[in-house]
Amino acid sequence: METDMTFEYAPAPESRAIVTIKPKYGHFIGGKFVPGSKHFPTINPATEEVLSQIALAGKADVDAAVKAARKAYTSTWSKMSGKERGKYLYRIARIMQERAREFAVLETLDNGKPIRESRDTDIPLAAAHFFYHAGWADKLEYAGLGTSPKPLGVAGQIIPWNFPLLMLAWKVAPALAAGNTVVLKPAESTPLTALLFAEVCQQAELPAGVVNIVTGDGSTGALIVNHPGIDKIAFTGSTEVGKIIARAVAPTKKSVTLELGGKAANIVFDDAPIDETVEGIVNGIFFNQGHVCCAGSRLLLQESVAEEVLHKLKNRMEKIRVGDPMDKNTDVGAINSKEQLAKIIELSAVGDAEGAERWSPACELPSKGFWFAPTIFTGVTQAHRIAREEIFGPVLSVLTFRTPQEAIEKANNTPFGLSAGIWSEKGSRTLWASQQLRAGVIWANTFNKFDPTSPFGGYKESGWGREGGRHGLAAYLKGVSHE
Ligand code: NAI
Ligand code: MG
């Protein structure tokens, strides 16, 4: 039965009292916080409040961080037994759990994502990555990656702003488990949880220099990529920067993994369970404001059910609560930055100009901060830019198909290949479709499910290599990174 009942909720704000944000931060190098020279602000995108001043690392800072990482690698970390390394990873994981509320509040303030998501998804998953990799540290010989696998050395790791602490965990946990030391750079708009993680490393008494964190923008990232003292680059971010990095490391001996963009097809067959499917579509594109590389941003509907799905989807979208990310009932928070909002507005305007039909539920957006209402475009064709380019926001492009074969052709007609979704009650159809789809991760009757044991990564312009699971370990061990 369909109901139009909407519940009114009183405000339920999470308290920010648990976090102490310093007015200014330096870099974390050799186990200590060292002052920076130049600084830039990080803001709360929901209010535009300046939260803190962040150091912009230049050549001297990156040099110092690489030197500290090399020293820790040579003198301590590469000599330590896997069992001992594992103890540190367990300790970090437990401290992250103990300080989970602090991490969640800080993540939401700095990033704009709903507290419900940082509390229930980002932070628990980040801790889970450390727990999972702690278990591998003394079992690398049994991972099927050779009898005596060796670490690469110093890893330079550059991460984006959409899942700040979680992307840190994806990078740091496998690197450390495999015996590498790291120099990590968080994104310029979301550095605060990485700096809190530096405190966790101190609290866990991790040997100095095993984890180094330098803050800054793309110029700092480029210094890391081009540093001769680094053995491996791990990057998550835009395909554009991924290509720059691939070119920069090509003439060097550096290993590289790239986790880039996506334009995932979420395919709904005529036998799909419609109500569950509608929930999955909403989760696929509106989770984390659509700032998700594997977001289900292209909805492919079989023609015979298209009308019913769209009717129910619009009905469901009317009930999405957009607003204060610190409110425990908020579903969609703030867009992460002014620049990202501009990009979403621009690509949506292209959708209008190309003749697609835009629809958003009525929703009041706060006057300060960066906001974009949940939006769908219907009447989209393969030729439209909004069907081909990553919008990286709460915007869904809807296409239709007649036969399963046509669905596969449309789904694969993209330069990306990160993820895909299949909605069908027939197991045989799901298995058939998943074998045809050129995507690294395929969800069936669900979407955006993550687990540290499951490898994640893409085909084509979505990147190189895998993160997570046994496959992810290979990227931090000698001789096995190019499977
Ligand atoms: P970006 O790729 O510029 O930033 C990601 C990280 O790379 C940041 O830490 C940044 O400081 C660093 N970086 C920038 N230029 C660099 C360089 N030349 N060398 C080394 N590091 C560098 O992404 P941006 O500009 O924030 O977002 C643009 C678009 O990228 C988004 O609209 C979205 O489509 C896509 N994106 C995809 C992500 C993913 O998870 N795959 C994450 C973030 C953005
Ligand atoms: Mg910020």
Side-chain angles (χ1 to χ4, degrees):
M1 195 187 78
E2 201 170 288
T3 157
D4 282 325
M5 187 160 57
T6 302
F7 293 96
E8 293 298 331
Y9 286 78
E14 173 70 57
S15 162
R16 67 187 274 178
I18 196 164
V19 300
T20 316
I21 304 177
K22 296 187 189 117
K24 194 189 258 192
Y25 285 88
H27 309 293
F28 182 65
I29 297 174
K32 290 196 279 281
F33 282 94
V34 298
S37 34
K38 281 189 207 158
H39 291 82
F40 61 92
T42 186
I43 65 168
N44 176 345
T47 59
E48 297 175 60
E49 171 201 3
V50 172
L51 295 170
S52 184
Q53 295 294 329
I54 303 303
L56 177 73
K59 190 169 181 310
D61 306 301
V62 172
D63 275 343
V66 174
K67 204 180 245 178
R70 177 62 58 192
K71 188 168 167 225
Y73 177 72
T74 318
S75 64
T76 318
W77 202 244
S78 66
K79 292 196 176 137
M80 196 182 277
S81 70
K83 190 173 160 200
E84 288 304 310
R85 287 200 310 274
K87 285 185 195 169
Y88 284 104
L89 288 167
Y90 277 123
R91 209 182 277 171
I92 289 171
R94 282 195 300 268
I95 298 171
M96 285 172 86
Q97 284 187 324
E98 281 162 20
R99 302 181 71 170
R101 219 161 76 81
E102 199 180 340
F103 270 112
V105 169
L106 193 59
E107 197 77 300
T108 285
L109 289 173
D110 202 15
N111 168 285
K113 66 174 67 203
I115 186 72
R116 186 166 51 79
E117 289 179 9
S118 44
R119 183 194 64 198
D120 298 347
T121 305
D122 295 62
I123 311 307
L125 268 177
H129 271 265
F130 278 94
F131 276 118
Y132 173 72
H133 287 95
W136 270 123
D138 63 347
K139 301 176 197 69
L140 296 172
E141 305 91 284
Y142 310 108
L145 302 170
T147 49
S148 177
K150 296 278 181 300
L152 295 168
V154 176
Q157 308 184 316
I158 299 160
I159 56 172
W161 41 262
N162 52 345
F163 295 94
L165 187 72
L166 183 57
M167 289 302 103
L168 174 149
W170 280 30
K171 298 277 182 285
V172 174
L176 265 47
N180 305 270
T181 59
V182 309
V183 174
L184 174 116
K185 189 196 84 66
E188 46 271 53
S189 64
T190 55
L192 293 179
T193 48
L195 292 164
L196 183 58
F197 178 80
E199 282 181 33
V200 170
C201 293
Q202 288 181 324
Q203 202 181 333
E205 293 172 16
L206 187 71
V210 171
V211 168
N212 303 275
I213 296 174
V214 292
T215 49
D217 60 12
S219 67
T220 307
L223 285 168
I224 294 173
V225 167
N226 294 302
H227 200 290
I230 281 178
D231 302 296
K232 187 229 158 66
I233 295 293
F235 171 78
T236 297
S238 62
T239 295
E240 190 191 343
V241 173
K243 287 180 181 175
I244 295 174
I245 292 175
R247 278 195 291 270
V249 301
T252 74
K253 281 191 180 159
K254 288 176 187 139
S255 318
V256 62
T257 41
L258 303 172
E259 205 268 273
L260 309 174
K263 191 75 188 177
N266 201 1
I267 307 172
V268 181
F269 289 108
D270 56 8
D271 63 331
I274 301 297
D275 292 330
E276 287 92 328
T277 302
V278 167
E279 285 306 309
I281 295 167
V282 166
N283 174 44
I285 187 63
F286 301 124
F287 170 62
N288 202 34
Q289 295 71 245
H291 299 328
V292 183
C293 47
C294 53
S297 54
R298 275 189 302 152
L299 180 63
L300 302 189
L301 298 176
Q302 193 149 13
E303 267 183 13
S304 50
V305 292
E307 204 177 313
E308 183 188 358
V309 171
L310 284 172
H311 174 74
K312 289 192 166 172
L313 177 61
K314 287 178 177 176
N315 209 43
R316 174 67 181 80
M317 284 172 66
E318 302 270 8
K319 295 174 177 63
I320 293 176
R321 284 181 293 269
V322 184
D324 181 8
M326 289 289 276
D327 192 308
K328 290 168 201 156
N329 293 320
T330 290
D331 299 312
V332 171
I335 298 304
N336 181 253
S337 68
K338 200 177 184 171
E339 294 75 27
Q340 190 58 33
L341 178 59
K343 184 183 163 185
I344 297 167
I345 291 173
E346 185 203 319
L347 270 169
S348 301
V350 169
D352 296 329
E354 288 178 332
E357 194 182 323
R358 184 202 290 239
W359 184 88
S360 288
C363 70
E364 238 174 78
L365 300 177
S367 55
K368 275 213 162 161
F370 315 126
W371 304 92
F372 200 88
T375 298
I376 58 175
F377 278 99
T378 50
V380 177
T381 73
Q382 286 291 117
H384 288 167
R385 270 180 68 194
I386 55 168
R388 311 191 63 81
E389 290 178 31
E390 188 173 45
I391 300 175
F392 222 63
V395 182
L396 179 66
S397 299
V398 185
L399 296 87
T400 57
F401 66 91
R402 285 188 183 164
T403 64
Q405 194 56 47
E406 188 190 342
I408 301 296
E409 274 162 27
K410 284 188 165 161
N412 286 339
N413 185 355
T414 164
F416 298 111
L418 192 53
S419 64
I422 301 165
W423 296 87
S424 166
E425 254 169 7
K426 280 198 197 79
S428 57
R429 179 174 274 180
T430 301
L431 289 172
W432 171 82
S434 61
Q435 281 167 352
Q436 311 295 311
L437 288 167
R438 291 258 295 152
V441 181
I442 295 167
W443 288 291
N445 296 331
T446 186
F447 212 93
N448 277 339
K449 284 271 183 291
F450 306 98
D451 190 290
T453 64
S454 175
F456 184 92
Y459 287 79
K460 300 190 274 186
E461 293 195 13
S462 290
W464 293 347
R466 296 291 179 268
E467 293 186 294
R470 195 179 65 77
H471 302 73
L473 288 171
Y476 287 96
L477 293 167
K478 271 194 185 128
V480 288
S481 54
H482 301 288
E483 291 179 284

